[in-house]
Amino acid sequence: MIEILNIALPFFGLILLGVIAGRVWAKSEEGLAWLNVFVLYFALPPLIFLVVAATPFETLVNPAYVLATAGATVACYLVMWALAAHVFRVQMKDAALMTTSAAYGNVGYMGLPLAVAFFGSGAAVPAALVFSFDCTVLFILTAVFAGLDGTRGKGWTAKIAVDVFTHPFNVATILGFIASAAQWMPSGGVLTMLDMLKQSAGPIALFAMGVTVSLREKPTLNADLATLTAIKLVLHPVLAFAAVALFVAADDVWLKVAVMMAALPTAGNAFILARQNNAYVAGAGHAVIVTTASSLVTIPLIVWGLKLWM
């Protein structure tokens, strides 16, 4: 357990430093704009591309793994949707964004660096697959369910396609698949630059996430937020474990990655989607804070349990 905590400490420590910085310097959120641009477009995409491109193509083609992990995410989405719509009885669009906060884990900023740190370089490929397909599924589900109140405008299907296929992480994954199939890797100065960007991804992304969390208003834990947190941090990894263990012939590392990625806290993108749809905005911000704080305990415990049991 001490080993797990030592691995996790730098990652959560960087988030904490971001929180402290946000409180001490109290700059506006607009100050994060260029930092987020760097992480989103220039740091994490090279990490994804280099990992995927360096992986044998036959390893990447694993539809059973993708279906199992994405299926667990969809199941959590549907459970939260049913509760939001029929138990908490919130409006349709708010229910859609509440549901997104319960299913959309921080698989990019936290997931990729943590997977490699906990389970070694072999964890990067399954982490990239989980990231790509989880994000694609959730972009689609959010757009569809948010439009159930009849407010979808014209061309919404085209907008979904554009959002999915132009997202820099998905573009990097697709290019990585192509490079892997062609057995090609960049070299020389280009490779050095991409590697430098890759090395910067984790620390900057986690620090920026901490600053973002610190700028949100203090959350009040109520029934829907508690339910959302339980689904994201407990039900999701349980379903991911069951789906991959029962239906996929995956090695131990891929199974561990599936569970850890499912156990990640709510992504900041859930808040961005809420703001774009003008629904459940405060709730999504609170979900990011509460699930991130709770994951300081749950993720090390889950990883420790996986390493102990497997």
Side-chain angles (χ1 to χ4, degrees), residues 256-292:
K256 291 174 182 176
V257 169
V259 176
M260 191 221 74
M261 295 288 277
L264 292 167
T266 302
N269 279 347
F271 174 77
I272 293 172
L273 288 170
R275 193 162 53 186
Q276 287 175 345
N277 286 276
N278 194 29
Y280 200 63
V281 178
H286 294 166
V288 173
I289 295 172
V290 171
T291 58
T292 300

Side-chain angles (χ1 to χ4, degrees), residues 8-103:
L9 179 61
F11 291 87
F12 290 111
L14 285 166
I15 296 174
L16 179 60
L17 288 176
V19 171
I20 293 171
R23 295 295 183 185
V24 171
W25 281 276
K27 303 294 184 183
S28 67
E29 191 169 354
E30 285 73 17
L32 283 172
W34 282 109
L35 193 59
N36 286 327
V37 165
F38 177 77
V39 172
L40 185 64
Y41 291 95
F42 297 99
L44 282 172
L47 169 63
I48 297 169
F49 171 78
L50 290 175
V51 166
V52 175
T55 303
F57 188 69
E58 58 272 15
T59 303
L60 295 174
V61 182
N62 197 326
Y65 186 78
V66 168
L67 286 173
T69 54
T73 300
V74 171
C76 288
Y77 194 100
L78 295 178
V79 168
M80 189 68 226
W81 167 259
L83 292 172
H86 302 295
V87 176
F88 301 121
R89 296 190 177 278
V90 299
Q91 294 182 349
M92 285 291 189
K93 186 175 283 190
D94 286 315
L97 277 301
M98 181 189 296
T99 299
T100 299
S101 297

Side-chain angles (χ1 to χ4, degrees), residues 226-252:
T227 303
L228 180 160
T229 301
I231 289 174
K232 184 70 215 69
L233 300 183
V234 179
L235 180 62
H236 198 174
V238 168
L239 291 179
F241 178 86
V244 175
L246 292 175
F247 302 113
V248 183
D251 64 29
D252 287 353

